[in-house]
Coordinates of all heavy atoms in Angstrom, one line a residue:
Chain B
P336 N 104.6 68.7 122.9 CA 104.0 70.0 122.9 C 104.6 70.8 121.8 O 105.6 70.5 121.1 CB 104.4 70.6 124.2 CG 105.4 69.7 124.8 CD 105.4 68.4 124.1
N337 N 104.0 72.0 121.5 CA 104.5 72.9 120.4 C 106.0 73.2 120.7 O 106.4 73.5 121.8 CB 103.7 74.2 120.4 CG 102.3 73.9 119.8 OD1 102.2 73.1 119.0 ND2 101.4 74.6 120.3
G338 N 106.8 73.2 119.7 CA 108.2 73.5 119.8 C 109.1 72.4 120.3 O 110.3 72.5 120.5
A339 N 108.5 71.2 120.4 CA 109.2 70.0 120.9 C 110.3 69.5 119.9 O 111.3 68.9 120.3 CB 108.3 68.9 121.3
G340 N 110.0 69.8 118.6 CA 110.9 69.3 117.6 C 110.3 68.3 116.7 O 111.0 67.6 115.9
K341 N 109.0 68.1 116.7 CA 108.3 67.1 115.9 C 108.5 67.5 114.4 O 108.9 66.6 113.6 CB 106.8 67.1 116.2 CG 106.5 66.8 117.7 CD 105.0 66.7 117.9 CE 104.3 68.0 117.6 NZ 104.6 69.1 118.6
S342 N 108.2 68.7 114.0 CA 108.3 69.1 112.6 C 109.7 69.0 112.2 O 110.0 68.5 111.0 CB 107.8 70.5 112.4 OG 106.4 70.5 112.7
T343 N 110.7 69.4 113.0 CA 112.1 69.3 112.7 C 112.5 67.8 112.4 O 113.1 67.5 111.4 CB 112.9 69.8 113.8 OG1 112.6 71.2 114.1 CG2 114.4 69.7 113.5
I345 N 110.5 65.4 111.4 CA 109.9 65.0 110.1 C 110.6 65.6 108.9 O 110.9 64.9 107.9 CB 108.4 65.4 110.1 CG1 107.7 64.5 111.1 CG2 107.8 65.2 108.7 CD1 106.2 64.7 111.3
A381 N 102.8 70.4 108.2 CA 102.1 70.9 109.3 C 101.2 72.1 108.8 O 100.1 72.2 109.3 CB 103.1 71.4 110.3
D382 N 101.7 72.9 107.9 CA 101.0 74.1 107.5 C 101.0 74.1 106.0 O 101.9 74.4 105.3 CB 101.9 75.3 108.0 CG 101.0 76.5 108.1 OD1 99.9 76.5 107.6 OD2 101.5 77.5 108.7
D452 N 102.1 65.4 109.6 CA 102.6 66.4 110.7 C 101.4 67.2 111.2 O 101.0 68.1 110.5 CB 103.7 67.3 110.1 CG 104.4 68.0 111.2 OD1 104.0 67.9 112.3 OD2 105.4 68.7 110.8
E453 N 100.9 66.9 112.3 CA 99.8 67.6 112.9 C 98.7 67.9 111.9 O 98.3 69.0 111.6 CB 100.2 68.9 113.6 CG 101.3 68.7 114.6 CD 101.3 69.7 115.7 OE1 100.3 70.4 115.9 OE2 102.4 69.9 116.3
S483 N 102.4 62.9 113.7 CA 102.8 63.8 114.8 C 101.6 64.6 115.3 O 100.7 64.9 114.5 CB 103.9 64.7 114.3 OG 103.4 66.0 114.2
H485 N 100.1 67.1 118.9 CA 100.2 67.6 120.3 C 98.9 67.4 121.1 O 98.7 67.9 122.1 CB 100.6 69.1 120.3 CG 99.6 70.1 119.8 ND1 99.4 70.4 118.5 CD2 98.7 70.8 120.5 CE1 98.4 71.2 118.4 NE2 97.9 71.5 119.6
Ligands
MG816 MG1 105.2 71.4 114.1

Side-chain angles (χ1 to χ4, degrees):
Chain B
N337 288 327
K341 303 183 296 294
S342 298
T343 301
I345 289 178
D382 200 348
D452 193 356
E453 304 205 27
S483 110
H485 69 275

